[in-house]
Amino acid sequence: WGAGAAFDEDMERDLILALVTRAVASIPDSLSSAEQELPLLEMMMARGGPGKGPREEPPPPEKPYIVRIQDRAELERIYREMVFQNPHALPTMTLEEHAEMEM
C-alpha cells in the first residue's frame, strides 16, 4: 500500500475510503438477497436440512424385450416386418380434412 514513493498517505486514505464506500453501497443489494433467501432456508431446515427433502422413488426398471426365434424362417419374417416400420407416427387425417375442421 504505502511501500513506494508514488503512493503517499493521502492517496492511501482516499483509496481505503473509496473501498469502504463501495462496500457500504453494496449492502442494500446483499440485504434484499438475504431476505429473499431466508424463507427458503427455513423451509429447508424444516425438512431436515440440506439434502433431506422428499425423495421420489425411481421407476422400476423395465423388463428387457426378448424375442425367442425358433428357426431361420421366423427370423426372416421378423426382419421383413421391421424393414417397413415407420420411424414416426403417421397422420390420421388429410390436410383437407383438417382444414374443414378448422373452418
Side-chain angles (χ1 to χ4, degrees), residues 3-97:
F7 215 64
D8 62 357
E9 289 181 11
D10 290 335
M11 290 176 72
E12 187 176 356
R13 186 178 307 111
D14 290 341
L15 175 63
I16 291 172
L17 285 174
L19 290 172
V20 169
T21 304
R22 182 177 171 196
V24 169
S26 70
I27 287 175
D29 294 334
S30 300
L31 188 61
S32 66
S33 295
E35 287 173 351
Q36 290 175 359
E37 197 171 316
L38 191 60
L40 298 174
L41 292 171
E42 289 171 349
M43 186 185 335
M44 180 181 64
M45 291 309 294
R47 291 183 177 169
K52 301 290 184 187
R55 284 206 169 156
E56 295 180 12
E57 291 292 324
E62 295 180 11
K63 292 189 174 188
Y65 182 71
I66 299 174
V67 177
R68 303 235 185 254
I69 299 171
Q70 302 299 326
D71 59 356
R72 183 178 174 97
E74 188 176 356
L75 179 63
E76 289 175 357
R77 181 188 57 79
I78 291 171
Y79 279 147
R80 274 194 301 275
E81 290 174 0
M82 290 172 57
V83 167
F84 296 108
Q85 293 291 323
N86 220 351
H88 53 82
L90 295 174
T92 57
M93 65 177 71
T94 65
L95 290 174
E96 183 180 349
E97 292 171 338

